[in-house]
């Protein structure tokens, strides 16, 4: 399906569109966006949540998820919501060995 993408080409992060965005513009590195992000463990326990947070693409201020979020946001439009299934290598490493599922809304 068109709404599923392997963000890094190695199966480590699978992006699935939950809600379609609107408009044509997508953020670029250095752009400031308002986002909501929630990360859950493989068992569904909350790891972290940020609601209506200001974030600058490329700043690294989302910690271990920054690279994943930067890559996903670069192809998202305003109002879009995606689910990112991340391996431990792309999320929290050994701290959450089963990886994480991240809900991201722009």
């Amino acid at each position: 399906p068109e709404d599923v993408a392997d963000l890094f080409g190695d199966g480590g992060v699978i992006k699935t569109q939950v809600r379609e965005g609107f408009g044509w513009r997508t953020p670029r590195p250095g752009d400031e966006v308002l986002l909501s992000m929630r990360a859950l463990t493989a068992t569904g326990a909350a790891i972290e949540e940020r609601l209506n947070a200001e974030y600058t693409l490329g700043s690294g201020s989302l910690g271990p998820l920054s690279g994943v979020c930067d890559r996903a946001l670069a192809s998202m439009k305003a109002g879009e919501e995606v689910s990112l299934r991340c391996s431990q290598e792309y999320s929290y490493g050994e701290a959450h060995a089963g990886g994480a599922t991240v809900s991201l809304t722009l």
Side-chain angles (χ1 to χ4, degrees), residues 32-89:
E32 188 174 281
V33 298
L34 193 63
L35 61 80
S36 292
M37 187 257 310
R38 185 171 63 145
L40 304 175
T41 66
T43 59
I47 301 170
E48 69 175 304
E49 185 168 23
R50 298 171 191 232
L51 298 175
N52 299 317
E54 290 182 359
Y55 175 67
T56 302
L57 267 72
S59 70
S61 65
L62 292 178
L65 295 177
S66 295
V68 168
C69 290
D70 284 349
R71 181 70 63 104
L73 287 165
S75 63
M76 291 174 66
K77 296 175 180 149
E80 186 171 343
E81 181 181 352
V82 299
S83 175
L84 306 170
R85 195 176 75 238
C86 306
S87 67
Q88 73 182 44
E89 292 79 17

Side-chain angles (χ1 to χ4, degrees), residues 1-24:
E2 289 181 347
D3 59 352
V4 176
D6 182 344
L7 290 187
F8 293 91
D10 61 3
V13 180
I14 304 299
K15 178 180 106 171
T16 304
Q17 187 180 60
V18 176
R19 185 177 65 231
E20 194 172 346
F22 52 87
W24 56 270

